[in-house]
Amino acid sequence: MTAQRIDGNALSHQLRAQVAADTAVLKAQGLTPGLAVVLVGDNPASQVYVRNKVKACQDAGLHSVLEKYEATMSEADLLARVESLNNDPQIHGILVQLPLPAHIDAQKVIEAINPAKDVDGFHIASAGALMTGMPGFWPCTPYGCMKMLESIGYNLSGKHAVVIGRSNIVGKPMALMLLQQNATVTICHSATTDLKAHTLQADVIVAAVGKRNVLTADMVKPGAVVLDVGMNRNDEGKLCGDVDFEGVSQVASFITPVPGGVGPMTITMLLVNTLESAKRALSAQL
Ligand code: GUN
């Protein structure tokens, strides 16, 4: 079997066009969706990420502001900036780029964001909403994975999904989203004794570990759907995921490549969440 690729660039293009169209409608009603991106310090990877987020907003017609601060910024000053953005009616989404400098308590900063503007979905109120099936914002990367499954018309009901990784940002919310669609979900992690025994049972596998070749062809049931959230470098310095793409492609029915798979979907879902936040703000006004 040669797996079909799920093209994250093409799906992102389609979803961002829809965001742009919906944004134009909102603008005609007098409301421009707005995202504030806050970067503290000069982490090179973070600088690239925030630039891409702001550019994606501009391309889709959203208002965006990028606030950059020195690494020496105090926690109190950052909390004050968040509070000011909470009260800014032009801002519907607030994203504080992580990691933050060590002297700042990242969780405290995240909890200072108004959950109604938590488009990253990292606030405990957002996590609680996801867990209980209440309205809230879903973290962008696992939300993007769900959109990829939707794009191939995959019905998760009764299927066995195995998530490898248990982070608050990807693994845990991913498991809850799959559960909400009636999958039977297993979460594997660094202390799992026999990973292969679990993955061989899976109809859907999401690899979100951050380590190359966590999933190889011998670990995959023929016809399984494989989503690769990993972002690593191989020995030649080329971007690669957690999955042995060449090998697993021979066994799986669908697979996401790296690059061009889940990666572009993360920013796309940030736009979707920001637009949704603006829509909620507008209906609260009416
Ligand atoms: N750092 C790496 N990815 C992310 C993300 O999705 N959101 C935030 N806030 N920081 C990040």
Side-chain angles (χ1 to χ4, degrees), residues 23-48:
T23 296
V25 171
L26 274 191
K27 280 176 156 175
Q29 293 175 273
L31 186 85
T32 303
L35 174 71
V37 179
V38 181
L39 174 64
V40 183
D42 51 12
N43 180 310
S46 292
Q47 288 186 344
V48 175

PDB file of all heavy atoms in Angstrom, residues 23-48:
ATOM      1  N   THR A  23     -14.055  37.105   7.272  1.00  0.00           N
ATOM      2  CA  THR A  23     -13.523  38.355   7.831  1.00  0.00           C
ATOM      3  C   THR A  23     -14.072  39.553   7.060  1.00  0.00           C
ATOM      4  O   THR A  23     -14.444  40.574   7.658  1.00  0.00           O
ATOM      5  CB  THR A  23     -11.976  38.329   7.786  1.00  0.00           C
ATOM      6  OG1 THR A  23     -11.526  37.273   8.631  1.00  0.00           O
ATOM      7  CG2 THR A  23     -11.367  39.644   8.259  1.00  0.00           C
ATOM      8  N   ALA A  24     -14.142  39.406   5.745  1.00  0.00           N
ATOM      9  CA  ALA A  24     -14.679  40.496   4.912  1.00  0.00           C
ATOM     10  C   ALA A  24     -16.133  40.786   5.290  1.00  0.00           C
ATOM     11  O   ALA A  24     -16.550  41.949   5.345  1.00  0.00           O
ATOM     12  CB  ALA A  24     -14.555  40.137   3.431  1.00  0.00           C
ATOM     13  N   VAL A  25     -16.893  39.729   5.580  1.00  0.00           N
ATOM     14  CA  VAL A  25     -18.300  39.906   5.975  1.00  0.00           C
ATOM     15  C   VAL A  25     -18.377  40.644   7.315  1.00  0.00           C
ATOM     16  O   VAL A  25     -19.165  41.582   7.488  1.00  0.00           O
ATOM     17  CB  VAL A  25     -19.023  38.528   6.060  1.00  0.00           C
ATOM     18  CG1 VAL A  25     -20.408  38.674   6.671  1.00  0.00           C
ATOM     19  CG2 VAL A  25     -19.105  37.887   4.687  1.00  0.00           C
ATOM     20  N   LEU A  26     -17.534  40.230   8.266  1.00  0.00           N
ATOM     21  CA  LEU A  26     -17.522  40.897   9.582  1.00  0.00           C
ATOM     22  C   LEU A  26     -17.130  42.359   9.459  1.00  0.00           C
ATOM     23  O   LEU A  26     -17.712  43.236  10.105  1.00  0.00           O
ATOM     24  CB  LEU A  26     -16.533  40.203  10.525  1.00  0.00           C
ATOM     25  CG  LEU A  26     -16.982  39.002  11.329  1.00  0.00           C
ATOM     26  CD1 LEU A  26     -15.935  38.669  12.377  1.00  0.00           C
ATOM     27  CD2 LEU A  26     -18.323  39.229  12.009  1.00  0.00           C
ATOM     28  N   LYS A  27     -16.138  42.619   8.602  1.00  0.00           N
ATOM     29  CA  LYS A  27     -15.678  43.998   8.403  1.00  0.00           C
ATOM     30  C   LYS A  27     -16.819  44.855   7.849  1.00  0.00           C
ATOM     31  O   LYS A  27     -16.976  46.008   8.248  1.00  0.00           O
ATOM     32  CB  LYS A  27     -14.492  44.036   7.452  1.00  0.00           C
ATOM     33  CG  LYS A  27     -13.161  43.688   8.104  1.00  0.00           C
ATOM     34  CD  LYS A  27     -12.096  43.662   7.026  1.00  0.00           C
ATOM     35  CE  LYS A  27     -10.715  43.906   7.541  1.00  0.00           C
ATOM     36  NZ  LYS A  27      -9.690  43.768   6.499  1.00  0.00           N
ATOM     37  N   ALA A  28     -17.591  44.271   6.954  1.00  0.00           N
ATOM     38  CA  ALA A  28     -18.727  45.009   6.385  1.00  0.00           C
ATOM     39  C   ALA A  28     -19.756  45.342   7.471  1.00  0.00           C
ATOM     40  O   ALA A  28     -20.519  46.300   7.352  1.00  0.00           O
ATOM     41  CB  ALA A  28     -19.369  44.191   5.264  1.00  0.00           C
ATOM     42  N   GLN A  29     -19.738  44.538   8.539  1.00  0.00           N
ATOM     43  CA  GLN A  29     -20.647  44.806   9.674  1.00  0.00           C
ATOM     44  C   GLN A  29     -19.981  45.706  10.708  1.00  0.00           C
ATOM     45  O   GLN A  29     -20.533  45.923  11.784  1.00  0.00           O
ATOM     46  CB  GLN A  29     -21.054  43.473  10.325  1.00  0.00           C
ATOM     47  CG  GLN A  29     -21.924  42.606   9.420  1.00  0.00           C
ATOM     48  CD  GLN A  29     -22.204  41.255  10.070  1.00  0.00           C
ATOM     49  OE1 GLN A  29     -21.427  40.296   9.949  1.00  0.00           O
ATOM     50  NE2 GLN A  29     -23.310  41.173  10.766  1.00  0.00           N
ATOM     51  N   GLY A  30     -18.780  46.173  10.400  1.00  0.00           N
ATOM     52  CA  GLY A  30     -18.106  47.144  11.258  1.00  0.00           C
ATOM     53  C   GLY A  30     -17.156  46.556  12.284  1.00  0.00           C
ATOM     54  O   GLY A  30     -16.689  47.253  13.187  1.00  0.00           O
ATOM     55  N   LEU A  31     -16.848  45.256  12.157  1.00  0.00           N
ATOM     56  CA  LEU A  31     -15.935  44.653  13.136  1.00  0.00           C
ATOM     57  C   LEU A  31     -14.777  43.953  12.419  1.00  0.00           C
ATOM     58  O   LEU A  31     -15.000  43.081  11.584  1.00  0.00           O
ATOM     59  CB  LEU A  31     -16.676  43.626  13.994  1.00  0.00           C
ATOM     60  CG  LEU A  31     -15.819  43.065  15.117  1.00  0.00           C
ATOM     61  CD1 LEU A  31     -15.860  43.975  16.335  1.00  0.00           C
ATOM     62  CD2 LEU A  31     -16.280  41.674  15.511  1.00  0.00           C
ATOM     63  N   THR A  32     -13.566  44.359  12.744  1.00  0.00           N
ATOM     64  CA  THR A  32     -12.382  43.698  12.191  1.00  0.00           C
ATOM     65  C   THR A  32     -11.789  42.783  13.258  1.00  0.00           C
ATOM     66  O   THR A  32     -11.406  43.257  14.335  1.00  0.00           O
ATOM     67  CB  THR A  32     -11.322  44.739  11.767  1.00  0.00           C
ATOM     68  OG1 THR A  32     -11.916  45.628  10.823  1.00  0.00           O
ATOM     69  CG2 THR A  32     -10.109  44.070  11.145  1.00  0.00           C
ATOM     70  N   PRO A  33     -11.711  41.473  12.976  1.00  0.00           N
ATOM     71  CA  PRO A  33     -11.103  40.579  13.966  1.00  0.00           C
ATOM     72  C   PRO A  33      -9.644  40.980  14.214  1.00  0.00           C
ATOM     73  O   PRO A  33      -8.925  41.294  13.261  1.00  0.00           O
ATOM     74  CB  PRO A  33     -11.175  39.197  13.306  1.00  0.00           C
ATOM     75  CG  PRO A  33     -12.180  39.316  12.216  1.00  0.00           C
ATOM     76  CD  PRO A  33     -12.168  40.741  11.774  1.00  0.00           C
ATOM     77  N   GLY A  34      -9.224  40.966  15.465  1.00  0.00           N
ATOM     78  CA  GLY A  34      -7.865  41.413  15.790  1.00  0.00           C
ATOM     79  C   GLY A  34      -7.124  40.431  16.687  1.00  0.00           C
ATOM     80  O   GLY A  34      -7.685  39.911  17.648  1.00  0.00           O
ATOM     81  N   LEU A  35      -5.860  40.183  16.340  1.00  0.00           N
ATOM     82  CA  LEU A  35      -5.007  39.298  17.136  1.00  0.00           C
ATOM     83  C   LEU A  35      -3.798  40.080  17.650  1.00  0.00           C
ATOM     84  O   LEU A  35      -3.148  40.780  16.879  1.00  0.00           O
ATOM     85  CB  LEU A  35      -4.510  38.131  16.272  1.00  0.00           C
ATOM     86  CG  LEU A  35      -3.483  37.188  16.941  1.00  0.00           C
ATOM     87  CD1 LEU A  35      -4.137  36.335  18.023  1.00  0.00           C
ATOM     88  CD2 LEU A  35      -2.811  36.280  15.906  1.00  0.00           C
ATOM     89  N   ALA A  36      -3.509  39.948  18.929  1.00  0.00           N
ATOM     90  CA  ALA A  36      -2.282  40.509  19.500  1.00  0.00           C
ATOM     91  C   ALA A  36      -1.311  39.374  19.791  1.00  0.00           C
ATOM     92  O   ALA A  36      -1.676  38.394  20.444  1.00  0.00           O
ATOM     93  CB  ALA A  36      -2.587  41.265  20.783  1.00  0.00           C
ATOM     94  N   VAL A  37      -0.095  39.510  19.269  1.00  0.00           N
ATOM     95  CA  VAL A  37       0.944  38.515  19.505  1.00  0.00           C
ATOM     96  C   VAL A  37       2.025  39.183  20.347  1.00  0.00           C
ATOM     97  O   VAL A  37       2.538  40.239  19.985  1.00  0.00           O
ATOM     98  CB  VAL A  37       1.544  38.013  18.170  1.00  0.00           C
ATOM     99  CG1 VAL A  37       2.652  37.000  18.431  1.00  0.00           C
ATOM    100  CG2 VAL A  37       0.464  37.399  17.290  1.00  0.00           C
ATOM    101  N   VAL A  38       2.330  38.567  21.487  1.00  0.00           N
ATOM    102  CA  VAL A  38       3.304  39.155  22.413  1.00  0.00           C
ATOM    103  C   VAL A  38       4.540  38.268  22.468  1.00  0.00           C
ATOM    104  O   VAL A  38       4.437  37.068  22.739  1.00  0.00           O
ATOM    105  CB  VAL A  38       2.689  39.300  23.826  1.00  0.00           C
ATOM    106  CG1 VAL A  38       3.694  39.924  24.783  1.00  0.00           C
ATOM    107  CG2 VAL A  38       1.405  40.126  23.770  1.00  0.00           C
ATOM    108  N   LEU A  39       5.679  38.863  22.174  1.00  0.00           N
ATOM    109  CA  LEU A  39       6.950  38.125  22.206  1.00  0.00           C
ATOM    110  C   LEU A  39       7.882  38.785  23.214  1.00  0.00           C
ATOM    111  O   LEU A  39       8.139  39.987  23.136  1.00  0.00           O
ATOM    112  CB  LEU A  39       7.594  38.144  20.812  1.00  0.00           C
ATOM    113  CG  LEU A  39       8.998  37.526  20.709  1.00  0.00           C
ATOM    114  CD1 LEU A  39       8.973  36.033  21.024  1.00  0.00           C
ATOM    115  CD2 LEU A  39       9.589  37.745  19.314  1.00  0.00           C
ATOM    116  N   VAL A  40       8.386  37.994  24.141  1.00  0.00           N
ATOM    117  CA  VAL A  40       9.335  38.508  25.130  1.00  0.00           C
ATOM    118  C   VAL A  40      10.684  37.819  24.892  1.00  0.00           C
ATOM    119  O   VAL A  40      10.757  36.584  24.900  1.00  0.00           O
ATOM    120  CB  VAL A  40       8.854  38.245  26.572  1.00  0.00           C
ATOM    121  CG1 VAL A  40       9.829  38.857  27.580  1.00  0.00           C
ATOM    122  CG2 VAL A  40       7.447  38.793  26.785  1.00  0.00           C
ATOM    123  N   GLY A  41      11.709  38.614  24.634  1.00  0.00           N
ATOM    124  CA  GLY A  41      13.037  38.049  24.396  1.00  0.00           C
ATOM    125  C   GLY A  41      13.301  37.841  22.918  1.00  0.00           C
ATOM    126  O   GLY A  41      12.479  38.201  22.065  1.00  0.00           O
ATOM    127  N   ASP A  42      14.445  37.224  22.601  1.00  0.00           N
ATOM    128  CA  ASP A  42      14.840  37.129  21.189  1.00  0.00           C
ATOM    129  C   ASP A  42      15.144  35.701  20.746  1.00  0.00           C
ATOM    130  O   ASP A  42      16.031  35.458  19.937  1.00  0.00           O
ATOM    131  CB  ASP A  42      16.038  38.061  20.920  1.00  0.00           C
ATOM    132  CG  ASP A  42      17.145  37.832  21.931  1.00  0.00           C
ATOM    133  OD1 ASP A  42      17.063  36.815  22.668  1.00  0.00           O
ATOM    134  OD2 ASP A  42      18.077  38.652  21.999  1.00  0.00           O
ATOM    135  N   ASN A  43      14.365  34.743  21.284  1.00  0.00           N
ATOM    136  CA  ASN A  43      14.473  33.355  20.821  1.00  0.00           C
ATOM    137  C   ASN A  43      14.273  33.323  19.291  1.00  0.00           C
ATOM    138  O   ASN A  43      13.240  33.747  18.788  1.00  0.00           O
ATOM    139  CB  ASN A  43      13.387  32.536  21.542  1.00  0.00           C
ATOM    140  CG  ASN A  43      13.394  31.073  21.142  1.00  0.00           C
ATOM    141  OD1 ASN A  43      13.398  30.742  19.970  1.00  0.00           O
ATOM    142  ND2 ASN A  43      13.403  30.210  22.129  1.00  0.00           N
ATOM    143  N   PRO A  44      15.276  32.838  18.525  1.00  0.00           N
ATOM    144  CA  PRO A  44      15.194  32.925  17.063  1.00  0.00           C
ATOM    145  C   PRO A  44      13.997  32.166  16.482  1.00  0.00           C
ATOM    146  O   PRO A  44      13.330  32.661  15.567  1.00  0.00           O
ATOM    147  CB  PRO A  44      16.513  32.317  16.571  1.00  0.00           C
ATOM    148  CG  PRO A  44      17.389  32.178  17.760  1.00  0.00           C
ATOM    149  CD  PRO A  44      16.538  32.227  18.986  1.00  0.00           C
ATOM    150  N   ALA A  45      13.722  30.975  17.012  1.00  0.00           N
ATOM    151  CA  ALA A  45      12.578  30.210  16.490  1.00  0.00           C
ATOM    152  C   ALA A  45      11.275  30.957  16.760  1.00  0.00           C
ATOM    153  O   ALA A  45      10.406  31.061  15.885  1.00  0.00           O
ATOM    154  CB  ALA A  45      12.532  28.826  17.130  1.00  0.00           C
ATOM    155  N   SER A  46      11.154  31.532  17.966  1.00  0.00           N
ATOM    156  CA  SER A  46       9.939  32.276  18.313  1.00  0.00           C
ATOM    157  C   SER A  46       9.754  33.482  17.391  1.00  0.00           C
ATOM    158  O   SER A  46       8.630  33.808  17.005  1.00  0.00           O
ATOM    159  CB  SER A  46      10.003  32.766  19.760  1.00  0.00           C
ATOM    160  OG  SER A  46       9.932  31.676  20.646  1.00  0.00           O
ATOM    161  N   GLN A  47      10.866  34.118  17.035  1.00  0.00           N
ATOM    162  CA  GLN A  47      10.762  35.287  16.151  1.00  0.00           C
ATOM    163  C   GLN A  47      10.171  34.894  14.801  1.00  0.00           C
ATOM    164  O   GLN A  47       9.340  35.608  14.241  1.00  0.00           O
ATOM    165  CB  GLN A  47      12.135  35.933  15.983  1.00  0.00           C
ATOM    166  CG  GLN A  47      12.569  36.655  17.253  1.00  0.00           C
ATOM    167  CD  GLN A  47      13.853  37.437  17.090  1.00  0.00           C
ATOM    168  OE1 GLN A  47      14.590  37.227  16.140  1.00  0.00           O
ATOM    169  NE2 GLN A  47      14.119  38.333  18.006  1.00  0.00           N
ATOM    170  N   VAL A  48      10.606  33.738  14.289  1.00  0.00           N
ATOM    171  CA  VAL A  48      10.063  33.262  13.003  1.00  0.00           C
ATOM    172  C   VAL A  48       8.580  32.937  13.162  1.00  0.00           C
ATOM    173  O   VAL A  48       7.745  33.357  12.343  1.00  0.00           O
ATOM    174  CB  VAL A  48      10.839  32.014  12.509  1.00  0.00           C
ATOM    175  CG1 VAL A  48      10.204  31.440  11.249  1.00  0.00           C
ATOM    176  CG2 VAL A  48      12.301  32.355  12.262  1.00  0.00           C
TER     177      VAL A  48
END
